[in-house]
Amino acid sequence: MTQIRALVTDFDGVHTDNTVLVDEEGRESVSCSRRDGMGIELLRERGLHLLILSREANPVVRSRARKLRMEVMHHVLDKLPALDDWRREAQLQWEEIVYIGDDINDIDCLKACGLGAVPADAHKDAKAHADLILTEKGGKGAIRELCDYLIGKGLHV
């Protein structure tokens, strides 16, 4: 069994349900699950490295990461090289990382990490490369389900 030492998450479609609200000034807002936030807190208490890795450039990603006390890399167009740099800096092995993403731009990371998970409503191609397909949807408890799964496994996979 491999010890899990890090959780890396995509943002849109994982922390959110992929819905964006845009006001008349062009400001965007999203909704996130507080249950997911509690799951992240439980993993932080267990000493896991926590990272949001997102293609999205919106400041809402950084705001949510700050609230959850997670590291953040956003506006990343090619996720795998960025994740590899972060992994090396954190002195992690690929098999020690759990990745959760929901779309085709997450596939390389899903395949590279020790455990690749997707929300129930992920794109079919992402699902095809996942080790774990969750029953909850993005923004509706998928992260919390994954956190509970990891804690239930003693953070081993």
Side-chain angles (χ1 to χ4, degrees), residues 11-148:
F11 189 74
D12 287 320
V14 174
H15 286 265
T16 77
D17 66 0
N18 262 331
T19 300
V20 62
L21 302 172
V22 182
D23 71 13
E24 65 276 357
E25 301 294 324
R27 289 180 300 239
E28 295 183 3
S29 62
V30 297
S31 67
C32 300
S33 168
R34 290 203 185 269
R35 286 185 294 153
D36 289 347
M38 178 57 74
I40 293 291
E41 185 176 327
L42 294 171
L43 293 185
R44 185 182 329 94
E45 290 171 356
R46 286 164 171 79
L48 265 69
H49 296 267
L50 302 167
L51 172 69
I52 294 174
L53 179 62
S54 177
R55 181 181 177 106
E56 184 59 47
N58 192 318
V60 73
V61 179
R62 185 169 297 283
S63 295
R64 186 63 179 157
R66 186 172 38 253
K67 169 79 173 171
L68 296 174
R69 296 177 20 221
M70 294 178 74
E71 290 183 67
V72 62
M73 297 170 71
H74 64 110
H75 198 225
V76 176
L77 301 181
D78 193 356
K79 291 183 177 185
L80 189 60
L83 180 55
D84 191 33
D85 289 344
W86 178 85
R87 174 191 71 81
R88 290 172 194 252
E89 191 172 304
Q91 299 180 343
L92 296 166
Q93 301 301 312
W94 284 111
E95 54 274 359
E96 297 173 317
I97 303 171
V98 174
Y99 185 89
I100 179 171
D102 75 308
D103 215 327
I104 59 172
N105 63 328
D106 296 304
I107 290 173
D108 289 341
C109 294
L110 289 167
K111 292 178 0 182
C113 292
L115 179 70
V118 296
D121 57 343
H123 188 277
K124 65 180 177 56
D125 292 342
K127 284 182 175 180
H129 294 282
D131 301 304
L132 179 63
I133 300 173
L134 301 163
T135 60
E136 299 290 342
K137 295 179 178 180
K140 305 292 184 189
I143 293 175
R144 177 58 183 270
E145 181 183 350
L146 178 58
C147 293
D148 290 346

